[in-house]
Amino acid sequence: MRFLILGGSGYLGSKVINELCKWNHRIVATKRSNSDTSRVLSDSVLWIPANEEAIRTSMLYEKFDWILNMVCNYGRSTVLYDDCIEANLQFPLAILNLAAEFGIENFLTIGTGLPERFNMYSLSKEMFAQFGRFYVDKHRINFTSMKLEIFYGFDEPSGRFIPDVIRRSMENEDLYVTEGTQLRDIVAVDDVLDAILFVISYGPKGYQEIDVGTGEAPSIKEIVEFIHSYAGATSKIHFGAVPMRPDEPNCVADTAALTAMGFRCKWQWKQGLRKMIDEMGGNI
């Protein structure tokens, strides 16, 4: 099959590309001028600029079976909301419009399990999904929004919460965290990757929202304490040293849609974290 992948140089996007390349699929992927593509292992990927003109030109010469939108911006720009809205809504919407124009039938986007109005990231992701519903109704595109919970992997970028807690615990540093009462469904990146590939092979029709998670939601406190203990740390954990965000939500995936398709995550959260800590231990 032929895939156009938006945001292919990112952590999750590169994993999807690497797996699709194993099966000799044709991959065209977008990147920005400063993107690091070193995570992508195949030299068969055609990289094009992440702009509407370049993508339109590519569509003139390639009949894509799928567009996968892996672009995510969490809204950490110094310009209020600007990058977040452009990356999560305006850019993919322009490409969704091209998909309708060129008769591309299947569009999959990565969304979030966070509540819609929690922040601009979750709101812009949900707004794009609703545009997807419109295009399904008006242009008969198959549009799937895969709503991810927190995912983790030993090779994920530094600075993210779970690998940072693991590293600090392994180095026996004190941990300064929130009270940790918020509940979070955390899912291994291998399960996220398998779920995405499974959904592509399944080929959902019409508009679909699919939660990706384990269906369990330990508290952040439980997660931190488990990591600290399994890593063998004797340092102190300072719960409450970091203030909670206002209206901090509890998040757990509704796994009914994936289960009905025949997919289940392999890694329960403690098993997955043990595996991640062991893998990170070999790299410290």
Side-chain angles (χ1 to χ4, degrees), residues 43-251:
D43 58 6
S44 66
V45 176
L46 174 61
W47 293 99
I48 63 174
N51 62 61
E52 186 176 352
E53 181 180 356
I55 294 170
R56 173 182 287 277
T57 300
S58 183
M59 288 180 179
L60 289 171
Y61 295 97
E62 305 255 12
K63 175 61 176 177
F64 293 109
D65 300 290
W66 281 88
I67 297 177
L68 309 183
N69 176 34
M70 317 298 291
V71 176
C72 288
N73 184 291
Y74 297 103
R76 296 169 183 151
S77 169
T78 55
V79 179
L80 185 64
Y81 301 143
D82 189 43
D83 290 349
C84 191
I85 294 171
E86 195 280 331
N88 297 333
L89 181 58
Q90 293 173 337
F91 174 63
L93 181 55
I95 309 312
L96 179 59
N97 201 56
L98 287 177
E101 180 181 339
F102 283 86
I104 299 170
E105 295 182 355
N106 301 299
F107 197 109
L108 184 149
T109 191
I110 298 300
T112 175
L114 289 170
E116 173 185 335
R117 296 183 183 275
F118 179 62
N119 56 24
M120 183 53 73
Y121 165 68
S122 58
L123 179 60
S124 56
K125 283 290 185 180
E126 177 59 25
M127 290 179 68
F128 179 61
Q130 292 309 310
F131 274 106
R133 188 190 292 273
F134 175 88
Y135 276 74
V136 168
D137 293 340
K138 301 298 183 182
H139 300 284
R140 301 191 181 279
I141 287 175
N142 300 312
F143 186 99
T144 299
S145 175
M146 297 191 71
K147 302 170 73 173
L148 305 189
E149 301 297 331
I150 294 176
F151 59 93
Y152 59 89
F154 80 96
D155 57 347
E156 66 180 299
S158 62
R160 292 188 180 183
F161 178 70
I162 290 178
D164 187 59
V165 170
I166 292 174
R167 181 189 62 78
R168 292 179 184 276
S169 296
M170 285 183 161
E171 295 176 355
N172 212 33
E173 296 180 12
D174 280 9
L175 302 177
Y176 298 86
V177 293
T178 69
E179 293 177 2
T181 55
Q182 64 271 47
L183 306 181
R184 287 291 186 274
D185 187 334
I186 62 172
V187 55
V189 71
D190 289 348
D191 279 333
V192 173
L193 177 60
D194 287 348
I196 292 170
L197 297 172
F198 179 87
V199 167
I200 291 169
S201 65
Y202 191 93
K205 302 301 180 185
Y207 178 81
Q208 301 290 334
E209 288 188 356
I210 300 175
D211 286 12
V212 182
T214 66
E216 292 185 83
S219 69
I220 292 295
K221 183 175 182 180
E222 288 178 278
I223 293 167
V224 170
E225 288 178 334
F226 177 80
I227 291 171
H228 191 260
S229 175
Y230 187 74
T234 58
S235 57
K236 292 183 179 180
I237 307 174
H238 302 271
F239 289 109
V242 176
M244 298 266 281
R245 292 179 294 184
D247 303 316
E248 186 73 46
N250 296 321
C251 298

Side-chain angles (χ1 to χ4, degrees), residues 146 195 198-199 210-213 254-264:
M146 297 191 71
F198 179 87
V199 167
I210 300 175
D211 286 12
V212 182
D254 180 352
T255 60
L258 275 177
T259 300
M261 292 178 183
F263 180 88
R264 288 182 181 273

